[in-house]
Amino acid sequence: MSAELRDAEPRPVWWDGVETGPQTDRLAGKTRADLVIVGAGYTGLWAAIEALTEDPGCSVVIMEQGWVGSAASGRNGGFVSESLTHGIAHGEAMWSSELDELQRLGRENVSQIVEFVDRHRIEADLRMVGKTALARTPHQVEALRSAVEVYARHGEKVEFLDREAIRADVDSPCFLAGLRSYSGGLVNPMALVQGLRRVAEELGARIFERTPATDITRTGGGLTVRSTHGEVETSRILLASNAYPPLLRRLKAWMLPVYDYVLATAPLTAEQLASIGWSQNQGLSDVGNQFHYFRRTPDNRILWGGYDAIYHFGNRISPELEQRDETHLLLARHFRETFPQLADVPFTHRWGGVIDTTSRFTPIFGTAYDGRLAYAVGFTGLGVASTRFGAQVALDLLAGRETERTRLKAITGTAVPFPPEPFRWPAVELTRAALAREDETGRRGLLLRTFDRFGVGFNS
């Protein structure tokens, strides 16, 4: 590793000062529950909380293959988005007749999360400071300018910032314009997942860490979920495993695990902060297909991630893939180019994690085993808030009830399947190259235009 990153700890900055690792025993022997949830990330924890709030007498078991917070829920950027459609432009392209309702549901979802965090005294540094999208090229400037009318059409207030205005806000020679949105915010993701765990356990959920779910079988009138050292008999199962290999075969065609990488700097001094401005302390991101996302932490570090989204042949997932020197060095170079005034600020942390995505860039929902199993997977980087909505959808499906959520085509529709290997990896690489060309030229090539016609979500 180069001197640039030699001293950067290979772990998320959110884990500093936090008790990490498993806190419960493995599942051993046989037990029973009314509801078994596979996965103790945001989706699984929200599902447990919602189920137990609705029916306090319900018995809930959560099976987690690692430990709570070890995967995406404890290592993401902490951006709280109201969008359920991976952006308004994508929502207009895919579900234009439903978009206003989806926007309303997304706003209500985030508002309810804010109220929940406050009511349960979860100290997660949740701040509704909004976000600014940043243009680095002239064609991106025009895209942001034209987006103002699109947002206004759907009741969203945004502000276009020209080069002078954006430099006054966040000082970088790379930014040519910005689109300031005041919806959404930021959170400490590890603190949030720990708070959700506490509430779920207080309500009665039993969490078993280091307990991978390996098999589902029909037993009598119910189902049995097996693990390496035990099993749970149940009448209902909710799959919240997201990027990890699903127990339901059909999901393998719709899901793609990609690795995202992140750096964090040392805390900035008052002088260094003054040199970049950023006094509103909002979240920031580029608007390209290959984009960076960045934010300040409570102790004034800069978390800097994104750009590379790496798919490994055969849907490979492994702890060793959480470090990628090539990508971390690329991120470091981009950071120095974006903020040359911070050339001497060292990086103290570097990490990566796997994200679950679908070809439509939004989650997919459904049932199996005669409606006794439901799934909500594929949140594509926006799961900090939308997993709560997804958990509610999955519980609606398990209960067989029609709600304003389950009536939506955005919920009932499915995604175009990814091709199987050995074709999947080259297809992903060809798509990445096409997206990079659009970032450079501002023109969508034939491949991306074809995807648009078939409802594949690369226009978000």
Side-chain angles (χ1 to χ4, degrees):
M1 176 57 65
S2 73
E4 177 78 289
L5 297 176
R6 186 178 299 134
D7 297 325
E9 293 186 56
R11 66 198 304 268
V13 69
W14 306 118
W15 295 4
D16 285 0
V18 173
E19 181 182 355
T20 57
Q23 299 175 30
T24 67
D25 294 331
R26 292 183 174 92
L27 173 66
K30 296 183 178 182
T31 189
R32 175 162 184 82
D34 297 317
L35 172 64
V36 172
I37 298 170
V38 179
Y42 291 142
T43 310
L45 293 171
W46 278 121
I49 290 167
E50 293 290 318
L52 288 164
T53 300
E54 179 182 336
D55 180 7
C58 173
S59 58
V60 176
V61 161
I62 308 177
M63 301 171 68
E64 166 57 42
Q65 69 170 359
W67 47 270
V68 177
S70 61
S73 296
R75 59 176 67 224
N76 63 81
F79 283 69
V80 179
S81 173
E82 292 182 350
S83 179
L84 301 175
T85 62
H86 216 276
I88 283 182
H90 185 45
E92 266 203 340
M94 297 284 284
W95 306 286
S96 58
S97 64
E98 297 179 343
L99 184 55
D100 287 336
E101 186 173 5
L102 286 162
Q103 289 292 108
R104 174 184 63 81
L105 289 170
R107 286 192 293 268
E108 290 176 359
N109 179 55
V110 169
S111 175
Q112 289 161 7
I113 289 172
V114 172
E115 189 276 331
F116 179 93
V117 168
D118 180 66
R119 176 161 43 91
H120 290 279
R121 293 182 167 83
I122 298 175
E123 299 295 333
D125 190 45
L126 177 58
R127 295 177 288 112
M128 305 312 292
V129 291
K131 176 184 171 184
T132 301
L134 301 160
R136 291 176 177 261
T137 66
H139 64 262
Q140 291 174 354
V141 173
E142 294 312 307
L144 289 184
R145 197 188 307 273
S146 63
V148 173
E149 190 274 331
V150 178
Y151 277 83
R153 190 160 61 239
H154 297 285
E156 299 291 321
K157 180 182 177 183
V158 295
E159 179 183 2
F160 177 79
L161 305 175
D162 62 17
R163 184 166 192 167
E164 182 179 352
I166 198 64
R167 290 286 302 263
D169 184 14
V170 183
D171 192 7
S172 167
C174 296
F175 303 148
L176 305 183
L179 191 69
R180 183 71 166 97
S181 169
Y182 297 92
S183 67
L186 299 169
V187 73
N188 178 324
M190 186 64 175
L192 177 60
V193 78
Q194 288 181 313
L196 295 179
R197 175 190 188 142
R198 171 176 60 80
V199 176
E201 290 182 322
E202 288 173 351
L203 291 172
R206 290 182 289 160
I207 300 174
F208 295 97
E209 295 167 300
R210 297 173 296 168
T211 301
T214 57
D215 185 44
I216 298 173
T217 57
R218 299 177 189 266
T219 50
L223 301 170
T224 295
V225 188
R226 291 186 171 84
S227 185
T228 49
H229 298 92
E231 60 185 50
V232 190
E233 294 182 355
T234 186
S235 55
R236 296 179 297 158
I237 299 171
L238 193 153
L239 289 187
S241 48
N242 287 296
Y244 289 88
L247 290 174
L248 200 60
R249 183 178 301 174
R250 74 182 70 161
L251 297 180
K252 295 179 181 179
W254 296 331
M255 298 278 297
L256 193 78
V258 294
Y259 275 84
D260 178 60
Y261 295 93
V262 194
L263 297 172
T265 70
L268 271 60
T269 65
E271 292 75 18
Q272 289 166 335
L273 282 172
S275 74
I276 58 172
W278 205 352
S279 60
Q280 296 180 52
N281 205 3
Q282 75 273 33
L284 302 173
S285 72
D286 307 330
V287 296
N289 296 305
Q290 291 182 288
F291 65 94
H292 308 90
Y293 57 86
F294 42 118
R295 56 163 295 179
R296 285 164 51 190
T297 63
D299 58 352
N300 286 325
R301 302 172 189 270
I302 295 179
L303 180 149
W304 175 265
Y307 195 79
D308 262 355
I310 305 299
Y311 169 73
H312 296 276
F313 186 88
N315 286 12
R316 186 178 170 219
I317 296 175
S318 173
E320 67 189 53
L321 301 178
E322 294 168 5
Q323 297 295 323
R324 192 171 191 263
D325 293 353
E326 178 184 355
T327 297
H328 282 132
L329 287 169
L330 180 65
L331 284 171
R333 177 165 63 83
H334 289 172
F335 179 86
R336 303 299 185 198
E337 292 169 354
T338 302
F339 294 116
Q341 63 270 53
L342 302 181
D344 296 330
V345 176
F347 296 103
T348 58
H349 298 74
R350 58 185 177 97
W351 71 96
V354 65
I355 293 172
D356 55 326
T357 188
T358 70
S359 64
R360 69 180 198 171
F361 271 34
T362 58
I364 53 176
F365 308 92
T367 62
Y369 290 94
D370 303 317
R372 288 176 292 176
L373 179 149
Y375 52 85
V377 294
F379 291 91
T380 317
L382 291 185
V384 174
S386 62
T387 45
R388 178 179 179 271
F389 179 86
Q392 292 173 326
V393 169
L395 291 171
D396 286 342
L397 295 175
L398 276 180
R401 59 190 172 221
E402 184 177 303
T403 66
E404 61 180 351
R405 293 181 288 262
T406 60
R407 286 191 294 266
L408 294 166
K409 293 178 182 177
I411 301 304
T412 59
T414 190
V416 175
F418 293 104
E421 298 290 15
F423 307 107
R424 180 173 291 201
W425 186 85
V428 171
E429 291 302 300
L430 284 171
T431 303
R432 289 185 69 212
L435 293 168
R437 284 194 297 273
E438 185 188 18
D439 285 343
E440 293 176 3
T441 66
R443 296 188 296 273
R444 291 182 78 73
L446 177 61
L447 180 64
L448 297 181
R449 294 199 305 272
T450 301
F451 285 159
D452 293 345
R453 286 196 293 271
F454 285 94
V456 177
F458 293 115
N459 59 351
S460 56

